[in-house]
Amino acid sequence: MASERYSFSLTTFSPSGKLVQIEYALAAVASGAASVGIKAVNGVVLATEKKHKSILYEDHSTYKIEKITDHIGMVYSGMGPDYRLLVRRARKMAQDYLLMYGETIPTSQLVQRVANVMQEYTQSGGVRPFGVSLLIAGWDASVNNGSPILFQCDPSGAYFAWKATAMGKNYVNGKTFLEKRYDDKLELEDAVHTAILTLKEGFEGQMTEDNVEIGICDENGFRRFTPEEVKDYLTNIA
Amino acid sequence: MSRGSSAGFDHYITIFSPEGRLYQVEYAFKAINSTGTTSVAVKGAETSAVATLRKVPDKLIDASSVTSLYAITDTIGCVMTGMVADAKNQVQRARYEAASFKYKFGYDMPVDVLCRKIADICQVYTQNAEMRPLGCAMILIAYDEDLGPCVYKSDPAGYFCAFKACSVGAKQTEANSFLEKKLKKKSEFSHEETIQTAINCLSTILSADFKPSEIEVAVVSKDQPKFTILNEKEIEEHLTAIAEKD
């Protein structure tokens, strides 16, 4: 089916030295639903807005926050279908690493591999860049008796480690909010609380357990909150 | 971010426009509406049903060979809306994927896994320039042991989701408003109510009463998990029941 590939890249330099397809991909990300990641002393929290366009949609049939390995999870802002491809690849790469080295993949290694995939799509023939930015949260048990890690991957293939960040709609306000609220001694419970407040800043309408997804990564691994758990946190901020 | 002008190809192949949109995908959605038909799917307490218009383009065509309803496996069926050739391609692929899954893993492919697979294939077409997105949308229905009755929709953008009820096609906005109103009042439909809501939705948005030969209806339910296309007599019974209710 895809045996005849375009042999030239669609992402080429403009006269000013910019790769405009990547900039446009970032525009697609910035118009996507908001998501937030915060690193605490004892874990990382990922939170995202998940609004369905009508009541006909079945809540909780698809998820934005996905587990990649027992100790790594990720969330995105941007185009959902592109994200699914990256989730699949990330899961396979994690298993390949385990098969090759007999150890679970460190978060930074996974991030490097995923970012490499994203970079390939900016240079290979006949493909467009991914329209997603990823937030990858992990717990590295071998470093310092266990330490939390938060990375962001861009459509360009660049990746950055963050203490706290926001992506998607209203991300500038989100980041400003986090800069004020963040401190190095934050515990995971407070980080979840702060993440919800950050999402609330740009949220249209009422936040409920059906339109917000939260996931945490700590020494027990990565897990997504059930709607009941999300509801508890939401009632606490009210 | 500067509003640059596009290189001009963003309308022709699936690369990003300056605002971060994929025009080819948006045009694929318009192609779905070009055939003028609408399809509707509804989920009840134990039943899922789909209904669609049957448009026979020419009197000389053998009407029994014209259909938008396809069985993917014994228990999973779909209604296709949009360009016929693309639809047949997607159905064949779905059948292949379901059979391949059964062969490899030894159990029937669940409908949500199948829908995800079809949607992933659609996503590849939105990212590779050498293949255009398909101009059709697939609504799958099945009765799953764990999930109960299911309605899943996959579209040319590679997006998929489960629905309580959904519609695709030329009149989908009106159909969705109708379904939202119905679901606000009541969400647990009985077997008959599920089928009649689907048929009623079509007749309301098209402001027409049908003859049984003008629509196609298919059902899966807990008692009858096999994907069953209703024959004219059965459709007639439902149409009469709807008429009597009014």
Side-chain angles (χ1 to χ4, degrees):
Chain A
M1 196 169 290
S3 45
E4 303 308 320
R5 289 255 273 186
Y6 275 38
S7 55
F8 54 92
S9 174
L10 302 172
T11 307
T12 51
F13 287 105
S14 72
S16 53
K18 288 194 287 190
L19 291 166
V20 278
Q21 274 296 301
I22 295 178
E23 303 219 348
Y24 300 164
L26 286 164
V29 171
S31 58
S35 49
V36 166
I38 303 180
K39 186 172 75 165
V41 163
N42 54 343
V44 189
V45 60
L46 299 174
T48 184
E49 181 188 306
K50 191 180 175 202
K51 274 226 213 93
H52 280 306
K53 284 171 271 186
S54 123
I55 58 164
L56 296 177
Y57 285 83
E58 206 48 283
D59 299 314
H60 310 295
S61 61
T62 53
Y63 292 102
K64 286 179 70 173
I65 296 185
E66 293 276 18
K67 179 194 271 204
I68 307 301
T69 70
D70 286 336
H71 60 292
I72 303 178
M74 65 186 193
V75 74
Y76 73 102
S77 281
M79 301 167 74
D82 288 6
Y83 173 68
R84 290 203 313 267
L85 193 156
L86 289 168
V87 166
R88 238 200 177 90
R89 298 289 291 270
R91 285 172 174 162
K92 285 205 177 142
M93 287 190 281
Q95 294 306 314
D96 283 340
Y97 187 99
L98 179 60
L99 189 63
M100 171 88 77
Y101 299 108
E103 282 179 7
T104 50
I105 189 168
T107 314
S108 54
Q109 286 292 309
L110 179 69
V111 168
Q112 279 177 36
R113 284 165 169 75
V114 172
N116 198 43
V117 170
M118 293 174 86
Q119 188 283 335
E120 280 173 6
Y121 276 73
T122 67
Q123 208 177 5
S124 302
V127 290
R128 62 164 173 81
F130 285 96
V132 290
S133 276
L134 304 171
L135 278 176
I136 302 182
W139 179 267
D140 281 344
S142 46
V143 179
N144 280 347
N145 287 330
S147 74
I149 293 207
L150 175 65
F151 274 96
Q152 177 182 2
C153 285
D154 262 358
S156 59
Y159 57 94
F160 317 95
W162 290 92
K163 295 177 188 159
T165 187
M167 319 189 295
K169 269 201 201 91
N170 234 7
Y171 74 97
V172 180
N173 291 345
K175 278 180 138 159
T176 323
F177 186 87
L178 285 168
E179 275 171 32
K180 277 189 244 154
R181 288 266 184 156
Y182 185 82
D183 91 69
D184 285 329
K185 301 197 186 31
L186 217 53
E187 297 258 332
L188 194 54
E189 290 287 309
D190 300 318
V192 177
H193 190 87
T194 311
I196 296 176
L197 290 173
T198 316
L199 277 184
K200 195 161 191 233
E201 288 283 299
F203 205 93
E204 286 160 24
Q206 194 55 324
M207 273 175 101
T208 72
E209 68 272 19
D210 293 324
N211 56 27
V212 169
E213 267 182 49
I214 303 179
I216 55 159
C217 194
D218 59 12
E219 58 182 349
N220 299 323
F222 178 85
R223 68 187 192 82
R224 188 171 49 222
F225 280 172
T226 62
E228 289 76 31
E229 289 170 306
V230 175
K231 195 172 181 186
D232 287 334
Y233 277 95
L234 288 175
T235 39
N236 282 341
I237 60 157
Chain B
M1 200 156 301
S2 60
R3 271 282 256 104
S5 59
S6 67
F9 293 106
D10 52 357
H11 291 261
Y12 298 103
I13 50 176
T14 48
I15 56 175
F16 284 113
S17 76
E19 308 84 49
R21 291 159 63 180
L22 294 173
Y23 281 112
Q24 273 295 299
V25 175
E26 294 178 20
Y27 298 162
F29 276 93
K30 294 219 177 97
I32 298 179
N33 299 343
S34 67
T35 49
T37 52
T38 310
S39 310
V40 167
V42 182
K43 179 171 87 165
E46 292 183 344
T47 311
S48 293
V50 287
T52 185
L53 274 189
R54 171 186 286 195
K55 261 199 186 164
V56 184
D58 193 312
K59 278 213 201 100
L60 292 175
I61 292 181
D62 183 351
S64 63
S65 69
V66 175
T67 178
S68 312
L69 302 176
Y70 301 92
I72 308 296
T73 68
D74 282 339
T75 52
I76 303 177
C78 75
V79 62
M80 299 301 299
T81 322
M83 296 164 67
V84 176
D86 288 5
K88 286 197 194 266
N89 174 291
Q90 200 163 53
V91 164
Q92 278 301 92
R93 188 61 193 270
R95 286 173 174 164
Y96 166 79
E97 293 296 339
S100 176
F101 186 99
K102 178 82 191 265
Y103 177 73
K104 272 192 233 170
F105 302 112
Y107 70 101
D108 291 329
M109 191 172 198
V111 64
D112 55 324
V113 178
L114 176 62
C115 195
R116 179 183 292 260
K117 184 75 197 188
I118 297 298
D120 285 347
I121 294 166
C122 291
Q123 188 279 336
V124 173
Y125 300 151
T126 72
Q127 200 167 18
N128 291 56
E130 59 265 19
M131 296 167 295
R132 62 166 174 80
L134 294 176
C136 58
M138 177 185 261
I139 303 179
L140 289 160
I141 59 164
Y143 186 86
D144 188 273
E145 270 177 15
D146 303 312
L147 303 164
C150 295
V151 171
Y152 274 84
K153 179 170 80 155
S154 146
D155 63 27
Y159 182 76
F160 83 101
C161 196
F163 286 82
K164 302 183 186 76
C166 68
S167 73
V168 184
K171 294 245 165 107
Q172 68 186 36
T173 346
E174 293 97 324
N176 281 332
S177 312
F178 177 93
L179 292 168
E180 279 176 24
K181 263 193 266 169
K182 278 270 166 163
L183 262 102
K184 275 206 184 106
K185 285 195 221 139
K186 177 179 188 181
S187 58
E188 293 288 309
F189 296 121
S190 73
H191 181 82
E192 278 70 33
E193 281 174 332
T194 311
I195 302 174
Q196 282 160 21
T197 306
I199 299 178
N200 213 359
C201 179
L202 274 185
S203 59
T204 310
I205 58 175
L206 297 162
S207 317
D209 288 319
F210 309 114
K211 295 203 279 291
S213 59
E214 287 173 350
I215 59 170
E216 299 183 90
V217 183
V219 185
V220 288
S221 68
K222 187 172 183 188
D223 303 321
Q224 174 70 297
K226 187 167 180 308
F227 178 74
T228 318
I229 300 179
L230 301 185
N231 59 35
E232 279 198 25
K233 190 159 152 296
E234 290 165 321
I235 300 181
E236 179 78 61
E237 284 168 12
H238 286 290
L239 286 170
T240 323
I242 295 174
E244 277 172 7
K245 270 206 196 125
D246 292 333

